[in-house]
Amino acid sequence: MKITSICCIGAGYVGGPTMAIIAQKCPHIKVTVVDLNVERIAAWNDKDVTNIPIYEPGLSDLVAEARGRNLFFSTDVEKAIDEAQMIFISVNTPTKTYGLGKGMAADLKYIELCARQIASVAKDNKIVVEKSTLPVRTAEAIKNILDNTGNGVQFQILSNPEFLAEGTAVQDLLFPDRVLIGGNLEGEREALDSLVEIYANWVPKERILTTNLWSSELSKLTANAFLAQRVSSINAMSELCEKTGADVNELSRAIGMDSRIGPKFLKASVGFGGSCFQKDILNLVYIAKSYGLNEVADYWEQVVIMNDHQKRRFASTIVQTLYNTVSGKKIAFLGWAFKKDTNDTRESAAINVCDYLLHEQAHIAVYDPQVKEKKVFNDLQYLDSRSLEEIEKGITVFEDPYEACKDAHAIAILTEWDEFKAYDWEKIYDNMQKPAFVFDGRNVLDAKKMVSLGFVYSAIGSTN
Ligand code: UDX
Ligand code: ADP
């Protein structure tokens, strides 16, 4: 079937960039991205394209090119469903915060709502594509809802997980390592082929992999679990390096040159964040437990336990180094996003480190080139149900990094933004309390230079 009209439910960090690329590469397809969030859609439609709700290098140019031509953003979900031949579901699947599976399982309520809405609106056959990361066998539940509540039309379900990483989303979408499409290979061949055809507009055919539905759903969880495991593995070694005089950067280089291990994803850090790693591993743990596979569950859970340890360890090192108290001291945070080149802060290590230091009565001064004050405050309210008043007492968000660092007792680097390397560190040193401490949670600064300027500098995984 030749597809000329698609829609995507969910205009988030996955739905927005993915649909912008499809629109750019397939001018013959009308692409409509819908969301219930009126503010978010208004931002996607903002005349000034730099105001789109997601900061992602290269994305605003793409949107500027396709928006109004064959890319549309709207809150009219029903109209978009009605008009589309193919519907991508790209809504959030957070960890459940209540009831059965609380703190572990993925909450599928938004997925279910989408399925019910598609079923009630659709008056002709539709291809429904799972874009969100979902527990294995979710397609079965979606199919059940569609078939049992629909208007007698046919639904074909595909799984097409997205592997883009934030900060490099545009490049990842333009040149993916692979595109994965899962379908019921007997019944859904035609639907599968039509999705392959869309990607074939820019992705070489040999990189478009088709599998059965369950392999596709489980591959996405597995890929994220393996990536997170690498970060926890190198972070575990970083602690041992600090005790033994080994240097974790040298360790990464040495093991990464083994072609079986490879050099990527071996950067020790204050801990991984982002909307996927923790959520997906906990979900995997829950699924394994639900099949009675306790050893499998325990194995993967350790990746998250290690990550929590790394974040706590970073925060407690700050307190211990500052003579066991940070009460009333100003600690400047450079970076709040969970990684560079994004304004996303979900599960960012900065949130937990800040929370720890607030309990120790520190005053936190935050600077992040892309994260606004409102988001910082929301993150902390959400974590600890603190009142806004309490947060405002403990945290100040700055728009100038030099102001954030002025009179600080210590600086903590939480995100690896490139601009941090180019700062005038001598000027920063001169304006700080002495001794001037720097805790580099991303190993981005030059240790020798920092020490020669007079800083007491500590990095992750080395003793300098
Ligand atoms: C991840 C997966 O990479 C992507 O394929 C999937 O689609 C979504 O989840 P994302 O969370 O956007 O992408 O970013 P990623 O680059 O994977 O980084 C995740 C976290 O790990 C960040 O906090 C990052 O700083 C941290 N990290 C990554 C490290 O600490 N060290 C590393 O070597 C790599
Ligand atoms: P991701 O990072 O996976 O893209 P986000 O949380 O950034 O996730 O985006 C998911 C989006 O899906 C949110 O903007 C949310 O408002 C939207 N959403 C959730 N449920 C629905 C629904 N039933 N209809 C339309 N949009 C929805």
Side-chain angles (χ1 to χ4, degrees):
M1 191 199 319
K2 187 94 185 147
I3 302 291
T4 54
S5 172
I6 66 177
C7 89
C8 174
I9 307 180
Y13 284 86
V14 172
T18 312
M19 292 301 128
I21 295 278
I22 293 183
Q24 195 222 18
K25 295 293 180 185
C26 311
H28 56 285
I29 300 179
K30 180 182 174 188
V31 180
T32 308
V33 188
V34 288
D35 203 296
L36 297 171
N37 184 333
V38 178
E39 220 179 291
R40 210 169 206 183
I41 290 297
W44 279 111
N45 281 324
D46 199 301
K47 264 205 196 99
D48 177 355
V49 85
T50 59
N51 287 337
I52 57 172
I54 291 172
Y55 174 74
E56 190 65 65
L59 183 61
S60 51
D61 293 342
L62 274 179
V63 172
E65 185 193 325
R67 199 176 59 184
R69 181 190 69 191
N70 67 328
L71 175 65
F72 303 90
F73 295 92
S74 162
T75 49
D76 195 342
V77 181
E78 296 200 349
K79 180 165 176 269
I81 293 173
D82 182 43
E83 288 176 0
Q85 297 158 286
M86 186 179 269
I87 301 159
F88 290 78
I89 302 182
S90 189
V91 301
N92 31 338
T93 51
T95 304
K96 259 186 106 176
T97 52
Y98 56 90
L100 193 66
K102 180 180 171 179
M104 284 279 174
D107 192 341
L108 298 180
K109 72 177 168 202
Y110 303 109
I111 296 283
E112 182 170 344
L113 275 173
C114 268
R116 289 186 186 276
Q117 198 166 14
I118 294 169
S120 80
V121 172
K123 291 189 242 32
D124 51 10
N125 297 347
K126 306 280 185 201
I127 299 169
V128 176
V129 185
E130 300 173 341
K131 207 38 150 161
S132 313
T133 305
L134 296 168
V136 57
R137 296 200 82 89
T138 303
E140 199 169 37
I142 295 179
K143 178 97 174 119
N144 258 329
I145 293 168
L146 291 172
D147 287 347
N148 284 297
T149 62
N151 305 312
V153 300
Q154 295 265 308
F155 294 103
Q156 291 176 301
I157 319 286
L158 301 176
S159 156
N160 172 219
E162 185 46 63
F163 294 99
L164 68 81
E166 289 177 30
T168 52
V170 172
Q171 288 306 305
D172 294 345
L173 286 162
L174 286 173
F175 309 104
D177 287 346
R178 78 320 206 170
V179 166
L180 178 58
I181 304 175
N184 172 348
L185 297 175
E186 301 102 58
E188 258 111 44
R189 192 75 246 180
E190 200 197 351
L192 205 114
D193 288 344
S194 51
L195 186 52
V196 169
E197 206 179 299
I198 292 178
Y199 282 107
N201 282 293
W202 77 98
V203 181
K205 274 262 167 74
E206 62 277 11
R207 291 191 178 222
I208 306 176
L209 189 66
T210 54
T211 65
N212 83 31
L213 267 171
W214 322 129
S215 306
S216 173
E217 288 178 334
L218 192 55
S219 293
K220 171 67 189 187
L221 287 181
T222 310
N224 277 345
F226 269 59
L227 290 168
Q229 181 204 42
R230 272 175 82 95
V231 179
S232 275
S233 297
I234 200 69
N235 280 345
M237 299 318 293
S238 74
E239 192 170 8
L240 192 53
C241 284
E242 288 165 29
K243 296 285 180 221
T244 56
D247 180 321
V248 78
N249 297 314
E250 293 180 348
L251 207 71
S252 294
R253 205 171 323 127
I255 65 165
M257 285 173 77
D258 185 325
S259 60
R260 294 166 302 175
I261 296 175
K264 293 183 182 167
F265 255 76
L266 289 178
K267 281 211 184 78
S269 69
V270 54
F272 61 72
S275 69
C276 292
F277 282 180
Q278 175 167 311
K279 178 193 78 171
D280 289 350
I281 290 182
L282 293 176
N283 186 208
L284 192 60
V285 169
Y286 182 75
I287 293 169
K289 277 195 181 146
S290 71
Y291 287 105
L293 309 177
N294 293 328
E295 289 77 7
V296 177
D298 291 348
Y299 175 77
W300 286 110
E301 192 167 15
Q302 199 57 37
V303 173
V304 174
I305 293 172
M306 185 64 222
N307 196 50
D308 288 340
H309 169 68
Q310 187 78 347
K311 293 186 273 188
R312 221 175 17 253
R313 187 169 87 77
F314 183 77
S316 68
T317 301
I318 295 178
V319 178
Q320 281 160 20
T321 312
L322 269 68
Y323 319 111
N324 245 1
T325 177
V326 290
S327 179
K329 293 181 182 167
K330 178 177 176 182
I331 316 255
F333 273 30
L334 293 182
W336 189 265
F338 81 97
K339 63 185 283 196
K340 72 173 181 179
D341 291 337
T342 179
N343 60 347
D344 194 352
T345 63
R346 287 175 290 180
E347 303 296 340
S348 178
I351 303 170
N352 300 88
V353 175
C354 180
D355 183 58
Y356 186 105
L357 296 175
L358 285 177
H359 278 114
E360 291 281 345
Q361 304 179 350
H363 189 91
I364 309 295
V366 178
Y367 168 77
D368 186 288
Q370 289 296 334
V371 180
K372 304 262 181 308
E373 179 182 85
K374 193 172 157 201
K375 215 175 212 178
V376 173
F377 289 179
N378 276 348
D379 287 339
L380 286 157
Q381 271 178 297
Y382 178 76
L383 183 76
D384 220 358
S385 1
R386 275 197 185 83
S387 71
L388 191 58
E389 268 178 342
E390 276 175 281
I391 292 169
E392 279 171 348
K393 250 191 250 159
I395 301 173
T396 315
V397 179
F398 288 84
E399 293 197 351
D400 177 74
Y402 294 94
E403 283 301 311
C405 296
K406 198 170 167 207
D407 294 324
H409 292 79
I411 295 172
I413 296 181
L414 277 308
T415 313
E416 72 282 23
W417 287 99
D418 290 334
E419 65 174 60
F420 298 163
K421 294 179 204 163
Y423 286 174
D424 181 346
W425 284 99
E426 194 169 356
K427 178 173 154 190
I428 292 176
Y429 177 81
D430 288 344
N431 290 326
M432 282 177 70
Q433 306 273 352
K434 306 293 174 327
F437 295 94
V438 170
F439 299 90
D440 189 346
R442 296 289 184 167
N443 293 353
V444 285
L445 300 177
D446 179 341
K448 277 205 186 95
K449 181 181 152 198
M450 295 300 283
V451 172
S452 74
L453 288 174
F455 286 104
V456 183
Y457 174 80
S458 10
I460 300 272
S462 69
T463 45
N464 300 317

